[in-house]
Amino acid sequence: MANLEFLGKMASGTMYSDLIGVPFLDRGRDPQKGLDCYGLAIELFRRHGIDLPPYWVSCVDASLINKTIAEEKENWQLVGIEVVPSLAVVRFNSGYLNHVLVNIGNGKFIHTGRKIGVRIERFDDSYWRRRYEGFYVPKEVKF
């Protein structure tokens, strides 16, 4: 269960500063080797005592990622942007929901991509503000 101490650490940046710059790696689940977007989410939620279910879909298969997200939504609860941490599900130009970001509060998120590695950006950036579909946490997380 998320707690206020955890949320404070997340918002201050101490929970993830060591991950900034970690390279992108398709299906990556090890911060020492590289992470994909869901691998980063697993690592951040783990640091908050929340285990996310494992998914091993390649980042190049947008339609399978979209299908997996649709099939698994019943295991997640839709929350508001104020809930930290939460996953933001993203739709790129393909029309598919095929990327996740981790909401870290104060209008910011952390994510990774093939060319950029792990970094922090803002939800109100013109590129991102029209792409995220919603914010989610596993159903077992209580507030």
Side-chain angles (χ1 to χ4, degrees), residues 10-48:
M10 187 120 189
S12 72
T14 60
M15 293 293 292
Y16 54 78
S17 59
D18 62 309
L19 297 172
I20 303 302
V22 168
F24 176 85
L25 178 63
D26 189 24
R27 297 184 182 133
R29 298 296 184 264
D30 182 344
Q32 302 304 312
K33 296 177 182 175
L35 298 166
D36 66 10
C37 63
Y38 193 71
L40 177 62
I42 288 172
E43 177 62 21
L44 288 171
F45 276 75
R46 181 193 63 77
R47 291 178 183 199
H48 295 279

mmCIF file of all heavy atoms in Angstrom, residues 10-48:
data_model
loop_
_atom_site.group_PDB
_atom_site.id
_atom_site.type_symbol
_atom_site.label_atom_id
_atom_site.label_comp_id
_atom_site.label_asym_id
_atom_site.label_seq_id
_atom_site.Cartn_x
_atom_site.Cartn_y
_atom_site.Cartn_z
ATOM 1 N N MET A 10 8.941 10.178 -3.606
ATOM 2 C CA MET A 10 8.719 10.152 -5.051
ATOM 3 C C MET A 10 8.689 11.569 -5.595
ATOM 4 O O MET A 10 9.323 11.877 -6.591
ATOM 5 C CB MET A 10 7.411 9.439 -5.364
ATOM 6 C CG MET A 10 7.175 9.228 -6.823
ATOM 7 S SD MET A 10 7.039 7.477 -7.092
ATOM 8 C CE MET A 10 7.044 7.369 -8.836
ATOM 9 N N ALA A 11 7.954 12.442 -4.938
ATOM 10 C CA ALA A 11 7.827 13.813 -5.408
ATOM 11 C C ALA A 11 9.143 14.572 -5.330
ATOM 12 O O ALA A 11 9.427 15.427 -6.157
ATOM 13 C CB ALA A 11 6.747 14.544 -4.619
ATOM 14 N N SER A 12 9.982 14.250 -4.349
ATOM 15 C CA SER A 12 11.245 14.972 -4.191
ATOM 16 C C SER A 12 12.315 14.498 -5.161
ATOM 17 O O SER A 12 13.316 15.170 -5.352
ATOM 18 C CB SER A 12 11.761 14.812 -2.760
ATOM 19 O OG SER A 12 12.241 13.501 -2.553
ATOM 20 N N GLY A 13 12.132 13.348 -5.754
ATOM 21 C CA GLY A 13 13.095 12.842 -6.721
ATOM 22 C C GLY A 13 14.084 11.842 -6.160
ATOM 23 O O GLY A 13 14.837 11.241 -6.910
ATOM 24 N N THR A 14 14.114 11.642 -4.854
ATOM 25 C CA THR A 14 15.091 10.734 -4.280
ATOM 26 C C THR A 14 14.799 9.277 -4.605
ATOM 27 O O THR A 14 15.688 8.439 -4.483
ATOM 28 C CB THR A 14 15.189 10.904 -2.752
ATOM 29 O OG1 THR A 14 13.910 10.633 -2.172
ATOM 30 C CG2 THR A 14 15.643 12.297 -2.381
ATOM 31 N N MET A 15 13.609 8.973 -5.048
ATOM 32 C CA MET A 15 13.237 7.595 -5.356
ATOM 33 C C MET A 15 13.733 7.142 -6.721
ATOM 34 O O MET A 15 13.732 5.956 -7.011
ATOM 35 C CB MET A 15 11.719 7.424 -5.318
ATOM 36 C CG MET A 15 11.084 7.574 -3.962
ATOM 37 S SD MET A 15 11.530 6.277 -2.810
ATOM 38 C CE MET A 15 10.720 4.881 -3.527
ATOM 39 N N TYR A 16 14.146 8.054 -7.575
ATOM 40 C CA TYR A 16 14.465 7.656 -8.948
ATOM 41 C C TYR A 16 15.653 8.364 -9.563
ATOM 42 O O TYR A 16 15.983 8.119 -10.716
ATOM 43 C CB TYR A 16 13.238 7.866 -9.834
ATOM 44 C CG TYR A 16 12.680 9.269 -9.752
ATOM 45 C CD1 TYR A 16 13.276 10.321 -10.435
ATOM 46 C CD2 TYR A 16 11.573 9.532 -8.967
ATOM 47 C CE1 TYR A 16 12.778 11.605 -10.333
ATOM 48 C CE2 TYR A 16 11.083 10.814 -8.860
ATOM 49 C CZ TYR A 16 11.680 11.845 -9.548
ATOM 50 O OH TYR A 16 11.201 13.118 -9.443
ATOM 51 N N SER A 17 16.349 9.218 -8.844
ATOM 52 C CA SER A 17 17.447 9.990 -9.437
ATOM 53 C C SER A 17 18.545 9.096 -10.015
ATOM 54 O O SER A 17 19.176 9.456 -11.010
ATOM 55 C CB SER A 17 18.027 10.965 -8.418
ATOM 56 O OG SER A 17 18.517 10.269 -7.288
ATOM 57 N N ASP A 18 18.754 7.915 -9.433
ATOM 58 C CA ASP A 18 19.766 6.995 -9.956
ATOM 59 C C ASP A 18 19.369 6.373 -11.290
ATOM 60 O O ASP A 18 20.213 5.787 -11.976
ATOM 61 C CB ASP A 18 20.048 5.886 -8.939
ATOM 62 C CG ASP A 18 18.822 5.035 -8.641
ATOM 63 O OD1 ASP A 18 17.749 5.622 -8.330
ATOM 64 O OD2 ASP A 18 18.919 3.802 -8.714
ATOM 65 N N LEU A 19 18.111 6.508 -11.686
ATOM 66 C CA LEU A 19 17.649 5.909 -12.937
ATOM 67 C C LEU A 19 17.768 6.848 -14.138
ATOM 68 O O LEU A 19 17.727 6.396 -15.286
ATOM 69 C CB LEU A 19 16.196 5.458 -12.793
ATOM 70 C CG LEU A 19 15.959 4.363 -11.756
ATOM 71 C CD1 LEU A 19 14.471 4.135 -11.545
ATOM 72 C CD2 LEU A 19 16.663 3.076 -12.151
ATOM 73 N N ILE A 20 17.921 8.143 -13.878
ATOM 74 C CA ILE A 20 18.025 9.103 -14.966
ATOM 75 C C ILE A 20 19.245 8.744 -15.818
ATOM 76 O O ILE A 20 20.350 8.572 -15.314
ATOM 77 C CB ILE A 20 18.139 10.554 -14.442
ATOM 78 C CG1 ILE A 20 16.956 10.895 -13.544
ATOM 79 C CG2 ILE A 20 18.279 11.550 -15.596
ATOM 80 C CD1 ILE A 20 15.603 10.758 -14.190
ATOM 81 N N GLY A 21 19.006 8.602 -17.118
ATOM 82 C CA GLY A 21 20.080 8.262 -18.046
ATOM 83 C C GLY A 21 20.268 6.780 -18.298
ATOM 84 O O GLY A 21 21.032 6.404 -19.194
ATOM 85 N N VAL A 22 19.575 5.911 -17.543
ATOM 86 C CA VAL A 22 19.671 4.476 -17.820
ATOM 87 C C VAL A 22 19.190 4.259 -19.256
ATOM 88 O O VAL A 22 18.155 4.783 -19.653
ATOM 89 C CB VAL A 22 18.823 3.650 -16.818
ATOM 90 C CG1 VAL A 22 18.679 2.203 -17.271
ATOM 91 C CG2 VAL A 22 19.436 3.720 -15.430
ATOM 92 N N PRO A 23 19.938 3.490 -20.052
ATOM 93 C CA PRO A 23 19.554 3.320 -21.453
ATOM 94 C C PRO A 23 18.278 2.497 -21.626
ATOM 95 O O PRO A 23 17.927 1.680 -20.776
ATOM 96 C CB PRO A 23 20.748 2.597 -22.074
ATOM 97 C CG PRO A 23 21.431 1.926 -20.936
ATOM 98 C CD PRO A 23 21.165 2.775 -19.721
ATOM 99 N N PHE A 24 17.611 2.730 -22.740
ATOM 100 C CA PHE A 24 16.449 1.945 -23.120
ATOM 101 C C PHE A 24 16.928 0.573 -23.587
ATOM 102 O O PHE A 24 17.922 0.451 -24.309
ATOM 103 C CB PHE A 24 15.696 2.627 -24.263
ATOM 104 C CG PHE A 24 14.542 1.804 -24.757
ATOM 105 C CD1 PHE A 24 13.313 1.886 -24.134
ATOM 106 C CD2 PHE A 24 14.705 0.933 -25.811
ATOM 107 C CE1 PHE A 24 12.244 1.114 -24.568
ATOM 108 C CE2 PHE A 24 13.647 0.156 -26.260
ATOM 109 C CZ PHE A 24 12.424 0.246 -25.631
ATOM 110 N N LEU A 25 16.204 -0.455 -23.190
ATOM 111 C CA LEU A 25 16.462 -1.817 -23.652
ATOM 112 C C LEU A 25 15.116 -2.506 -23.802
ATOM 113 O O LEU A 25 14.357 -2.606 -22.832
ATOM 114 C CB LEU A 25 17.343 -2.577 -22.650
ATOM 115 C CG LEU A 25 17.663 -4.028 -22.989
ATOM 116 C CD1 LEU A 25 18.482 -4.120 -24.286
ATOM 117 C CD2 LEU A 25 18.414 -4.690 -21.837
ATOM 118 N N ASP A 26 14.804 -2.957 -25.013
ATOM 119 C CA ASP A 26 13.538 -3.650 -25.257
ATOM 120 C C ASP A 26 13.423 -4.844 -24.319
ATOM 121 O O ASP A 26 14.355 -5.644 -24.200
ATOM 122 C CB ASP A 26 13.466 -4.108 -26.708
ATOM 123 C CG ASP A 26 12.099 -4.641 -27.090
ATOM 124 O OD1 ASP A 26 11.096 -4.269 -26.443
ATOM 125 O OD2 ASP A 26 12.024 -5.440 -28.057
ATOM 126 N N ARG A 27 12.308 -4.932 -23.609
ATOM 127 C CA ARG A 27 12.035 -5.954 -22.600
ATOM 128 C C ARG A 27 12.999 -5.854 -21.413
ATOM 129 O O ARG A 27 13.152 -6.816 -20.662
ATOM 130 C CB ARG A 27 12.051 -7.353 -23.194
ATOM 131 C CG ARG A 27 10.974 -7.582 -24.229
ATOM 132 C CD ARG A 27 10.979 -9.012 -24.702
ATOM 133 N NE ARG A 27 9.978 -9.205 -25.715
ATOM 134 C CZ ARG A 27 10.174 -9.835 -26.865
ATOM 135 N NH1 ARG A 27 11.340 -10.361 -27.145
ATOM 136 N NH2 ARG A 27 9.192 -9.968 -27.725
ATOM 137 N N GLY A 28 13.630 -4.702 -21.243
ATOM 138 C CA GLY A 28 14.595 -4.513 -20.170
ATOM 139 C C GLY A 28 13.923 -4.452 -18.806
ATOM 140 O O GLY A 28 12.951 -3.720 -18.610
ATOM 141 N N ARG A 29 14.458 -5.207 -17.859
ATOM 142 C CA ARG A 29 13.923 -5.251 -16.498
ATOM 143 C C ARG A 29 15.009 -5.061 -15.451
ATOM 144 O O ARG A 29 14.758 -5.209 -14.266
ATOM 145 C CB ARG A 29 13.202 -6.590 -16.239
ATOM 146 C CG ARG A 29 11.986 -6.870 -17.138
ATOM 147 C CD ARG A 29 10.895 -5.854 -16.902
ATOM 148 N NE ARG A 29 9.684 -6.130 -17.649
ATOM 149 C CZ ARG A 29 9.385 -5.591 -18.822
ATOM 150 N NH1 ARG A 29 10.215 -4.744 -19.412
ATOM 151 N NH2 ARG A 29 8.243 -5.870 -19.426
ATOM 152 N N ASP A 30 16.218 -4.719 -15.880
ATOM 153 C CA ASP A 30 17.345 -4.564 -14.963
ATOM 154 C C ASP A 30 17.930 -3.162 -15.121
ATOM 155 O O ASP A 30 18.497 -2.837 -16.161
ATOM 156 C CB ASP A 30 18.404 -5.618 -15.290
ATOM 157 C CG ASP A 30 19.603 -5.584 -14.355
ATOM 158 O OD1 ASP A 30 19.798 -4.586 -13.629
ATOM 159 O OD2 ASP A 30 20.360 -6.572 -14.367
ATOM 160 N N PRO A 31 17.822 -2.320 -14.075
ATOM 161 C CA PRO A 31 18.340 -0.949 -14.177
ATOM 162 C C PRO A 31 19.838 -0.874 -14.472
ATOM 163 O O PRO A 31 20.317 0.127 -14.975
ATOM 164 C CB PRO A 31 18.038 -0.348 -12.799
ATOM 165 C CG PRO A 31 16.984 -1.201 -12.212
ATOM 166 C CD PRO A 31 17.172 -2.574 -12.799
ATOM 167 N N GLN A 32 20.574 -1.941 -14.175
ATOM 168 C CA GLN A 32 22.013 -1.945 -14.462
ATOM 169 C C GLN A 32 22.304 -2.189 -15.942
ATOM 170 O O GLN A 32 23.369 -1.820 -16.428
ATOM 171 C CB GLN A 32 22.719 -3.020 -13.622
ATOM 172 C CG GLN A 32 22.538 -2.853 -12.135
ATOM 173 C CD GLN A 32 22.986 -1.486 -11.644
ATOM 174 O OE1 GLN A 32 24.062 -1.027 -11.976
ATOM 175 N NE2 GLN A 32 22.145 -0.832 -10.861
ATOM 176 N N LYS A 33 21.344 -2.787 -16.660
ATOM 177 C CA LYS A 33 21.548 -3.111 -18.076
ATOM 178 C C LYS A 33 20.711 -2.242 -18.994
ATOM 179 O O LYS A 33 21.125 -1.899 -20.096
ATOM 180 C CB LYS A 33 21.220 -4.586 -18.326
ATOM 181 C CG LYS A 33 22.145 -5.529 -17.604
ATOM 182 C CD LYS A 33 21.736 -6.963 -17.834
ATOM 183 C CE LYS A 33 22.662 -7.905 -17.062
ATOM 184 N NZ LYS A 33 22.222 -9.285 -17.165
ATOM 185 N N GLY A 34 19.499 -1.914 -18.577
ATOM 186 C CA GLY A 34 18.593 -1.115 -19.390
ATOM 187 C C GLY A 34 17.152 -1.461 -19.090
ATOM 188 O O GLY A 34 16.850 -2.548 -18.589
ATOM 189 N N LEU A 35 16.257 -0.523 -19.393
ATOM 190 C CA LEU A 35 14.832 -0.675 -19.085
ATOM 191 C C LEU A 35 13.990 -0.253 -20.276
ATOM 192 O O LEU A 35 14.326 0.702 -20.978
ATOM 193 C CB LEU A 35 14.454 0.203 -17.892
ATOM 194 C CG LEU A 35 15.147 -0.089 -16.566
ATOM 195 C CD1 LEU A 35 14.944 1.061 -15.590
ATOM 196 C CD2 LEU A 35 14.636 -1.397 -15.981
ATOM 197 N N ASP A 36 12.883 -0.959 -20.473
ATOM 198 C CA ASP A 36 11.867 -0.430 -21.373
ATOM 199 C C ASP A 36 10.854 0.319 -20.510
ATOM 200 O O ASP A 36 11.031 0.427 -19.289
ATOM 201 C CB ASP A 36 11.232 -1.524 -22.245
ATOM 202 C CG ASP A 36 10.417 -2.559 -21.483
ATOM 203 O OD1 ASP A 36 10.157 -2.377 -20.266
ATOM 204 O OD2 ASP A 36 10.012 -3.555 -22.112
ATOM 205 N N CYS A 37 9.813 0.859 -21.115
ATOM 206 C CA CYS A 37 8.902 1.714 -20.342
ATOM 207 C C CYS A 37 8.219 0.955 -19.214
ATOM 208 O O CYS A 37 8.076 1.477 -18.107
ATOM 209 C CB CYS A 37 7.890 2.412 -21.244
ATOM 210 S SG CYS A 37 6.751 1.332 -22.134
ATOM 211 N N TYR A 38 7.832 -0.288 -19.451
ATOM 212 C CA TYR A 38 7.174 -1.036 -18.388
ATOM 213 C C TYR A 38 8.180 -1.538 -17.358
ATOM 214 O O TYR A 38 7.883 -1.613 -16.172
ATOM 215 C CB TYR A 38 6.341 -2.186 -18.963
ATOM 216 C CG TYR A 38 5.405 -2.764 -17.925
ATOM 217 C CD1 TYR A 38 4.298 -2.030 -17.491
ATOM 218 C CD2 TYR A 38 5.629 -4.002 -17.358
ATOM 219 C CE1 TYR A 38 3.452 -2.538 -16.519
ATOM 220 C CE2 TYR A 38 4.784 -4.516 -16.396
ATOM 221 C CZ TYR A 38 3.703 -3.784 -15.980
ATOM 222 O OH TYR A 38 2.861 -4.287 -15.012
ATOM 223 N N GLY A 39 9.400 -1.851 -17.796
ATOM 224 C CA GLY A 39 10.454 -2.227 -16.852
ATOM 225 C C GLY A 39 10.755 -1.092 -15.888
ATOM 226 O O GLY A 39 10.980 -1.311 -14.694
ATOM 227 N N LEU A 40 10.736 0.143 -16.385
ATOM 228 C CA LEU A 40 10.925 1.311 -15.524
ATOM 229 C C LEU A 40 9.776 1.426 -14.531
ATOM 230 O O LEU A 40 9.995 1.672 -13.347
ATOM 231 C CB LEU A 40 11.035 2.578 -16.369
ATOM 232 C CG LEU A 40 11.160 3.890 -15.604
ATOM 233 C CD1 LEU A 40 12.418 3.925 -14.747
ATOM 234 C CD2 LEU A 40 11.132 5.065 -16.581
ATOM 235 N N ALA A 41 8.555 1.216 -15.007
ATOM 236 C CA ALA A 41 7.396 1.262 -14.111
ATOM 237 C C ALA A 41 7.504 0.196 -13.023
ATOM 238 O O ALA A 41 7.255 0.477 -11.839
ATOM 239 C CB ALA A 41 6.104 1.074 -14.906
ATOM 240 N N ILE A 42 7.888 -1.009 -13.394
ATOM 241 C CA ILE A 42 8.060 -2.080 -12.407
ATOM 242 C C ILE A 42 9.057 -1.650 -11.342
ATOM 243 O O ILE A 42 8.824 -1.823 -10.142
ATOM 244 C CB ILE A 42 8.509 -3.388 -13.090
ATOM 245 C CG1 ILE A 42 7.356 -3.996 -13.897
ATOM 246 C CG2 ILE A 42 9.044 -4.390 -12.066
ATOM 247 C CD1 ILE A 42 7.772 -5.176 -14.760
ATOM 248 N N GLU A 43 10.180 -1.087 -11.772
ATOM 249 C CA GLU A 43 11.222 -0.679 -10.824
ATOM 250 C C GLU A 43 10.740 0.432 -9.898
ATOM 251 O O GLU A 43 10.953 0.382 -8.683
ATOM 252 C CB GLU A 43 12.471 -0.226 -11.586
ATOM 253 C CG GLU A 43 13.588 0.279 -10.706
ATOM 254 C CD GLU A 43 14.162 -0.749 -9.744
ATOM 255 O OE1 GLU A 43 14.014 -1.977 -9.953
ATOM 256 O OE2 GLU A 43 14.784 -0.318 -8.745
ATOM 257 N N LEU A 44 10.072 1.439 -10.422
ATOM 258 C CA LEU A 44 9.605 2.545 -9.586
ATOM 259 C C LEU A 44 8.533 2.110 -8.597
ATOM 260 O O LEU A 44 8.569 2.480 -7.426
ATOM 261 C CB LEU A 44 9.096 3.692 -10.449
ATOM 262 C CG LEU A 44 10.198 4.462 -11.178
ATOM 263 C CD1 LEU A 44 9.599 5.420 -12.173
ATOM 264 C CD2 LEU A 44 11.067 5.198 -10.196
ATOM 265 N N PHE A 45 7.572 1.335 -9.057
ATOM 266 C CA PHE A 45 6.532 0.850 -8.147
ATOM 267 C C PHE A 45 7.134 -0.093 -7.098
ATOM 268 O O PHE A 45 6.731 -0.071 -5.946
ATOM 269 C CB PHE A 45 5.407 0.175 -8.925
ATOM 270 C CG PHE A 45 4.377 1.132 -9.458
ATOM 271 C CD1 PHE A 45 4.648 1.931 -10.559
ATOM 272 C CD2 PHE A 45 3.136 1.249 -8.858
ATOM 273 C CE1 PHE A 45 3.705 2.818 -11.056
ATOM 274 C CE2 PHE A 45 2.182 2.130 -9.338
ATOM 275 C CZ PHE A 45 2.470 2.917 -10.441
ATOM 276 N N ARG A 46 8.119 -0.927 -7.487
ATOM 277 C CA ARG A 46 8.781 -1.822 -6.536
ATOM 278 C C ARG A 46 9.403 -1.023 -5.400
ATOM 279 O O ARG A 46 9.322 -1.403 -4.229
ATOM 280 C CB ARG A 46 9.863 -2.642 -7.244
ATOM 281 C CG ARG A 46 10.584 -3.617 -6.307
ATOM 282 C CD ARG A 46 11.852 -4.188 -6.927
ATOM 283 N NE ARG A 46 12.863 -3.171 -7.217
ATOM 284 C CZ ARG A 46 13.651 -2.603 -6.298
ATOM 285 N NH1 ARG A 46 13.546 -2.930 -5.025
ATOM 286 N NH2 ARG A 46 14.545 -1.690 -6.641
ATOM 287 N N ARG A 47 9.981 0.103 -5.742
ATOM 288 C CA ARG A 47 10.604 0.959 -4.725
ATOM 289 C C ARG A 47 9.573 1.531 -3.757
ATOM 290 O O ARG A 47 9.922 1.980 -2.681
ATOM 291 C CB ARG A 47 11.377 2.096 -5.391
ATOM 292 C CG ARG A 47 12.599 1.601 -6.128
ATOM 293 C CD ARG A 47 13.323 2.710 -6.823
ATOM 294 N NE ARG A 47 14.454 2.174 -7.568
ATOM 295 C CZ ARG A 47 15.475 2.900 -7.984
ATOM 296 N NH1 ARG A 47 15.512 4.204 -7.731
ATOM 297 N NH2 ARG A 47 16.451 2.342 -8.663
ATOM 298 N N HIS A 48 8.335 1.495 -4.151
ATOM 299 C CA HIS A 48 7.246 1.958 -3.293
ATOM 300 C C HIS A 48 6.502 0.799 -2.644
ATOM 301 O O HIS A 48 5.432 0.984 -2.084
ATOM 302 C CB HIS A 48 6.280 2.819 -4.095
ATOM 303 C CG HIS A 48 6.909 4.084 -4.569
ATOM 304 N ND1 HIS A 48 7.056 5.191 -3.778
ATOM 305 C CD2 HIS A 48 7.476 4.399 -5.752
ATOM 306 C CE1 HIS A 48 7.670 6.147 -4.452
ATOM 307 N NE2 HIS A 48 7.941 5.692 -5.639
#
